[in-house]
Short mmCIF file of all heavy atoms in Angstrom, two decimals:
data_model
loop_
_atom_site.label_atom_id
_atom_site.label_comp_id
_atom_site.label_asym_id
_atom_site.label_seq_id
_atom_site.Cartn_x
_atom_site.Cartn_y
_atom_site.Cartn_z
N GLU A 119 -112.40 138.91 61.15
CA GLU A 119 -111.64 140.06 61.65
C GLU A 119 -112.06 140.39 63.09
O GLU A 119 -111.21 140.66 63.94
CB GLU A 119 -111.86 141.27 60.74
CG GLU A 119 -111.03 142.47 61.09
CD GLU A 119 -111.19 143.62 60.10
OE1 GLU A 119 -112.13 143.59 59.27
OE2 GLU A 119 -110.37 144.54 60.16
N PHE A 128 -104.50 142.62 59.98
CA PHE A 128 -104.76 143.91 59.34
C PHE A 128 -105.51 143.68 58.03
O PHE A 128 -105.16 142.79 57.26
CB PHE A 128 -103.43 144.62 59.07
CG PHE A 128 -103.59 145.96 58.43
CD1 PHE A 128 -104.03 147.05 59.16
CD2 PHE A 128 -103.29 146.13 57.08
CE1 PHE A 128 -104.17 148.30 58.56
CE2 PHE A 128 -103.44 147.37 56.48
CZ PHE A 128 -103.88 148.45 57.22
N ARG A 129 -106.50 144.51 57.79
CA ARG A 129 -107.30 144.43 56.56
C ARG A 129 -106.56 145.23 55.49
O ARG A 129 -106.57 146.44 55.51
CB ARG A 129 -108.69 145.00 56.84
CG ARG A 129 -109.68 144.81 55.75
CD ARG A 129 -110.34 143.43 55.88
NE ARG A 129 -111.51 143.32 55.08
CZ ARG A 129 -112.75 143.34 55.54
NH1 ARG A 129 -112.98 143.47 56.82
NH2 ARG A 129 -113.75 143.22 54.73
N THR A 130 -105.89 144.53 54.58
CA THR A 130 -105.07 145.19 53.56
C THR A 130 -105.88 145.62 52.35
O THR A 130 -105.42 146.43 51.55
CB THR A 130 -103.96 144.25 53.05
OG1 THR A 130 -104.57 143.10 52.45
CG2 THR A 130 -103.04 143.84 54.18
N HIS A 131 -107.05 145.05 52.23
CA HIS A 131 -107.87 145.23 51.04
C HIS A 131 -109.27 144.79 51.45
O HIS A 131 -109.44 144.06 52.42
CB HIS A 131 -107.29 144.31 49.95
CG HIS A 131 -107.93 144.43 48.61
ND1 HIS A 131 -109.07 143.75 48.29
CD2 HIS A 131 -107.56 145.12 47.51
CE1 HIS A 131 -109.40 144.02 47.03
NE2 HIS A 131 -108.49 144.85 46.54
N ARG A 132 -110.29 145.18 50.71
CA ARG A 132 -111.65 144.79 51.12
C ARG A 132 -111.85 143.29 51.16
O ARG A 132 -112.73 142.79 51.85
CB ARG A 132 -112.69 145.46 50.24
CG ARG A 132 -112.64 145.08 48.80
CD ARG A 132 -113.64 145.89 47.97
NE ARG A 132 -113.43 145.67 46.56
CZ ARG A 132 -114.13 144.83 45.83
NH1 ARG A 132 -115.09 144.11 46.38
NH2 ARG A 132 -113.86 144.68 44.56
N SER A 133 -111.02 142.53 50.44
CA SER A 133 -111.17 141.08 50.39
C SER A 133 -110.09 140.31 51.15
O SER A 133 -110.10 139.08 51.13
CB SER A 133 -111.16 140.61 48.94
OG SER A 133 -112.22 141.19 48.22
N TYR A 134 -109.14 141.00 51.79
CA TYR A 134 -108.01 140.32 52.43
C TYR A 134 -107.81 140.77 53.87
O TYR A 134 -107.90 141.96 54.19
CB TYR A 134 -106.71 140.62 51.68
CG TYR A 134 -106.57 139.89 50.37
CD1 TYR A 134 -107.11 140.41 49.21
CD2 TYR A 134 -105.87 138.69 50.29
CE1 TYR A 134 -106.98 139.75 48.00
CE2 TYR A 134 -105.73 138.02 49.09
CZ TYR A 134 -106.29 138.56 47.95
OH TYR A 134 -106.15 137.90 46.75
N LEU A 135 -107.46 139.80 54.71
CA LEU A 135 -107.06 140.03 56.09
C LEU A 135 -105.74 139.28 56.29
O LEU A 135 -105.67 138.09 55.98
CB LEU A 135 -108.13 139.50 57.05
CG LEU A 135 -107.90 139.69 58.54
CD1 LEU A 135 -107.97 141.19 58.89
CD2 LEU A 135 -108.95 138.93 59.33
N VAL A 136 -104.71 139.96 56.76
CA VAL A 136 -103.39 139.33 56.84
C VAL A 136 -102.83 139.41 58.26
O VAL A 136 -103.08 140.37 58.99
CB VAL A 136 -102.41 139.99 55.83
CG1 VAL A 136 -102.08 141.41 56.22
CG2 VAL A 136 -101.14 139.19 55.69
N LEU A 138 -99.92 140.19 60.45
CA LEU A 138 -98.73 141.03 60.31
C LEU A 138 -97.45 140.28 60.67
O LEU A 138 -96.37 140.62 60.19
CB LEU A 138 -98.86 142.29 61.16
CG LEU A 138 -99.98 143.24 60.77
CD1 LEU A 138 -100.08 144.40 61.74
CD2 LEU A 138 -99.80 143.74 59.35
N ILE A 141 -95.57 138.54 57.49
CA ILE A 141 -95.08 139.32 56.35
C ILE A 141 -93.57 139.16 56.22
O ILE A 141 -92.83 139.35 57.18
CB ILE A 141 -95.42 140.82 56.51
CG1 ILE A 141 -96.93 141.01 56.56
CG2 ILE A 141 -94.80 141.63 55.37
CD1 ILE A 141 -97.36 142.44 56.89
N ILE A 144 -92.48 143.86 51.67
CA ILE A 144 -93.50 144.68 51.03
C ILE A 144 -92.90 145.21 49.73
O ILE A 144 -91.81 145.79 49.75
CB ILE A 144 -93.92 145.86 51.93
CG1 ILE A 144 -94.43 145.32 53.27
CG2 ILE A 144 -94.97 146.72 51.25
CD1 ILE A 144 -94.68 146.39 54.31
N ASN A 149 -99.58 152.68 41.13
CA ASN A 149 -100.48 153.74 41.61
C ASN A 149 -100.57 153.82 43.13
O ASN A 149 -101.65 154.02 43.68
CB ASN A 149 -101.88 153.58 41.02
CG ASN A 149 -101.93 153.85 39.55
OD1 ASN A 149 -101.09 154.58 39.03
ND2 ASN A 149 -102.89 153.28 38.87
N GLY A 150 -99.46 153.61 43.83
CA GLY A 150 -99.45 153.74 45.29
C GLY A 150 -99.92 152.51 46.03
O GLY A 150 -100.02 152.52 47.25
N ALA A 151 -100.21 151.44 45.31
CA ALA A 151 -100.60 150.18 45.95
C ALA A 151 -99.34 149.32 46.15
O ALA A 151 -98.29 149.59 45.56
CB ALA A 151 -101.62 149.44 45.10
N TYR A 152 -99.46 148.30 46.98
CA TYR A 152 -98.32 147.43 47.30
C TYR A 152 -98.79 145.98 47.31
O TYR A 152 -99.98 145.69 47.32
CB TYR A 152 -97.75 147.78 48.68
CG TYR A 152 -97.08 149.12 48.73
CD1 TYR A 152 -97.80 150.28 48.95
CD2 TYR A 152 -95.70 149.22 48.55
CE1 TYR A 152 -97.17 151.52 48.99
CE2 TYR A 152 -95.06 150.46 48.60
CZ TYR A 152 -95.81 151.59 48.81
OH TYR A 152 -95.18 152.80 48.85
N ASN A 153 -97.81 145.09 47.36
CA ASN A 153 -98.06 143.67 47.59
C ASN A 153 -97.26 143.26 48.82
O ASN A 153 -96.12 143.69 48.99
CB ASN A 153 -97.59 142.81 46.41
CG ASN A 153 -98.63 142.71 45.34
OD1 ASN A 153 -99.81 142.55 45.62
ND2 ASN A 153 -98.20 142.80 44.10
N LEU A 154 -97.86 142.42 49.64
CA LEU A 154 -97.13 141.81 50.74
C LEU A 154 -96.68 140.44 50.27
O LEU A 154 -97.46 139.70 49.67
CB LEU A 154 -98.04 141.63 51.96
CG LEU A 154 -98.66 142.88 52.56
CD1 LEU A 154 -99.55 142.50 53.73
CD2 LEU A 154 -97.60 143.86 53.00
N VAL A 164 -100.16 139.18 48.82
CA VAL A 164 -101.43 139.76 49.26
C VAL A 164 -101.42 141.23 48.87
O VAL A 164 -100.49 141.95 49.21
CB VAL A 164 -101.59 139.61 50.80
CG1 VAL A 164 -102.84 140.34 51.28
CG2 VAL A 164 -101.64 138.14 51.19
N PRO A 165 -102.46 141.68 48.15
CA PRO A 165 -102.50 143.09 47.74
C PRO A 165 -102.80 144.02 48.92
O PRO A 165 -103.51 143.66 49.85
CB PRO A 165 -103.63 143.13 46.72
CG PRO A 165 -104.52 142.00 47.09
CD PRO A 165 -103.62 140.93 47.67
N VAL A 166 -102.22 145.22 48.85
CA VAL A 166 -102.50 146.27 49.82
C VAL A 166 -103.03 147.47 49.04
O VAL A 166 -102.32 147.99 48.17
CB VAL A 166 -101.23 146.69 50.60
CG1 VAL A 166 -101.56 147.76 51.63
CG2 VAL A 166 -100.58 145.48 51.26
N SER A 167 -104.25 147.87 49.32
CA SER A 167 -104.83 149.01 48.61
C SER A 167 -104.10 150.29 48.99
O SER A 167 -103.42 150.36 50.02
CB SER A 167 -106.32 149.13 48.94
OG SER A 167 -106.48 149.55 50.28
N ARG A 168 -104.25 151.31 48.16
CA ARG A 168 -103.61 152.60 48.44
C ARG A 168 -104.06 153.15 49.78
O ARG A 168 -103.28 153.64 50.57
CB ARG A 168 -103.93 153.61 47.34
CG ARG A 168 -103.20 153.37 46.07
CD ARG A 168 -103.36 154.53 45.11
NE ARG A 168 -104.72 155.06 45.06
CZ ARG A 168 -105.52 154.99 44.01
NH1 ARG A 168 -105.12 154.42 42.92
NH2 ARG A 168 -106.73 155.48 44.05
N SER A 169 -105.36 153.05 50.05
CA SER A 169 -105.88 153.60 51.31
C SER A 169 -105.36 152.83 52.52
O SER A 169 -105.12 153.41 53.58
CB SER A 169 -107.40 153.63 51.30
OG SER A 169 -107.92 152.33 51.14
N ALA A 170 -105.17 151.53 52.39
CA ALA A 170 -104.67 150.73 53.51
C ALA A 170 -103.16 150.85 53.67
O ALA A 170 -102.64 150.64 54.77
CB ALA A 170 -105.06 149.27 53.32
N ALA A 171 -102.44 151.18 52.61
CA ALA A 171 -100.97 151.23 52.66
C ALA A 171 -100.48 152.23 53.71
O ALA A 171 -99.57 151.91 54.48
CB ALA A 171 -100.42 151.59 51.29
N LYS A 172 -101.10 153.39 53.76
CA LYS A 172 -100.66 154.40 54.73
C LYS A 172 -100.82 153.90 56.16
O LYS A 172 -99.92 154.02 56.97
CB LYS A 172 -101.46 155.69 54.51
CG LYS A 172 -101.03 156.82 55.39
CD LYS A 172 -101.80 158.09 55.08
CE LYS A 172 -101.37 159.22 55.99
NZ LYS A 172 -102.10 160.45 55.73
N ARG A 173 -101.98 153.30 56.47
CA ARG A 173 -102.22 152.77 57.82
C ARG A 173 -101.26 151.62 58.13
O ARG A 173 -100.78 151.50 59.24
CB ARG A 173 -103.67 152.30 57.95
CG ARG A 173 -104.68 153.43 57.95
CD ARG A 173 -106.07 152.93 58.31
NE ARG A 173 -106.40 151.66 57.72
CZ ARG A 173 -107.17 151.49 56.64
NH1 ARG A 173 -107.69 152.53 56.05
NH2 ARG A 173 -107.43 150.29 56.16
N LEU A 174 -100.99 150.79 57.13
CA LEU A 174 -100.08 149.66 57.32
C LEU A 174 -98.69 150.16 57.68
O LEU A 174 -98.07 149.66 58.62
CB LEU A 174 -100.03 148.79 56.06
CG LEU A 174 -99.04 147.62 56.12
CD1 LEU A 174 -99.46 146.61 57.19
CD2 LEU A 174 -98.95 146.94 54.76
N PHE A 175 -98.20 151.13 56.95
CA PHE A 175 -96.85 151.66 57.25
C PHE A 175 -96.82 152.31 58.62
O PHE A 175 -95.81 152.20 59.33
CB PHE A 175 -96.41 152.63 56.16
CG PHE A 175 -96.03 151.95 54.87
CD1 PHE A 175 -96.56 152.37 53.67
CD2 PHE A 175 -95.16 150.87 54.86
CE1 PHE A 175 -96.22 151.74 52.48
CE2 PHE A 175 -94.81 150.23 53.69
CZ PHE A 175 -95.35 150.66 52.48
N GLN A 176 -97.89 152.93 59.04
CA GLN A 176 -97.94 153.50 60.39
C GLN A 176 -97.88 152.39 61.44
O GLN A 176 -97.16 152.50 62.42
CB GLN A 176 -99.22 154.33 60.58
CG GLN A 176 -99.20 155.64 59.87
CD GLN A 176 -100.55 156.36 59.94
OE1 GLN A 176 -101.59 155.74 60.18
NE2 GLN A 176 -100.53 157.67 59.72
N LEU A 177 -98.62 151.32 61.21
CA LEU A 177 -98.60 150.19 62.14
C LEU A 177 -97.23 149.55 62.24
O LEU A 177 -96.82 149.11 63.31
CB LEU A 177 -99.61 149.11 61.69
CG LEU A 177 -101.04 149.28 62.09
CD1 LEU A 177 -101.89 148.20 61.43
CD2 LEU A 177 -101.19 149.20 63.59
N LEU A 178 -96.53 149.50 61.12
CA LEU A 178 -95.22 148.86 61.09
C LEU A 178 -94.10 149.82 61.49
O LEU A 178 -92.93 149.45 61.43
CB LEU A 178 -94.96 148.25 59.70
CG LEU A 178 -95.91 147.13 59.30
CD1 LEU A 178 -95.64 146.67 57.88
CD2 LEU A 178 -95.81 145.95 60.27
#
Side-chain angles (χ1 to χ4, degrees):
E119 185 175 13
F128 181 75
R129 189 85 166 255
T130 62
H131 184 276
R132 63 185 171 98
S133 300
Y134 286 86
L135 182 67
V136 68
L138 296 176
I141 298 172
I144 302 171
N149 291 335
Y152 291 85
N153 274 318
L154 300 178
V164 174
V166 181
S167 70
R168 286 191 318 247
S169 59
K172 184 177 179 181
R173 290 189 320 259
L174 177 65
F175 286 129
Q176 286 173 339
L177 276 174
L178 296 176

